[in-house]
Amino acid sequence: MGQITVLTKATSKSKSLRTTIPMGIVKQFNLSEGDKLNWEIKAEGGELVIVVKPLKEKRGGKHG
């Protein structure tokens, strides 16, 4: 089983929810405040699965 987090209201007037990203995931993907996450819903094996991918902007320099 993966890590478990709890959803809370984003604001008192909003219907949106928020959660905390566990530190292990933050470190694994080198996430920082202000980074963006892309949320997708996919059907796999008769279930709906949420796939979350970090969107990291390339910041100068050459890769490879």
Side-chain angles (χ1 to χ4, degrees):
M1 180 186 271
Q3 298 184 40
I4 297 173
T5 62
V6 177
L7 295 170
T8 59
K9 281 185 160 187
T11 67
S12 60
K13 296 180 181 180
S14 174
K15 291 186 178 182
S16 293
L17 300 173
R18 68 174 61 176
T19 193
T20 300
I21 299 172
M23 185 51 66
I25 293 172
V26 170
K27 288 181 179 180
Q28 178 72 36
F29 291 95
N30 193 30
L31 298 174
S32 299
E33 184 177 0
D35 285 350
K36 296 180 181 180
L37 299 175
N38 181 44
W39 296 72
E40 295 180 46
I41 299 175
K42 296 183 177 186
E44 292 184 6
E47 293 184 337
L48 290 177
V49 177
I50 300 169
V51 178
V52 183
K53 296 179 184 178
L55 298 177
K56 296 295 254 182
E57 295 181 16
K58 293 178 181 163
R59 300 178 185 165
K62 295 182 180 179
H63 299 282

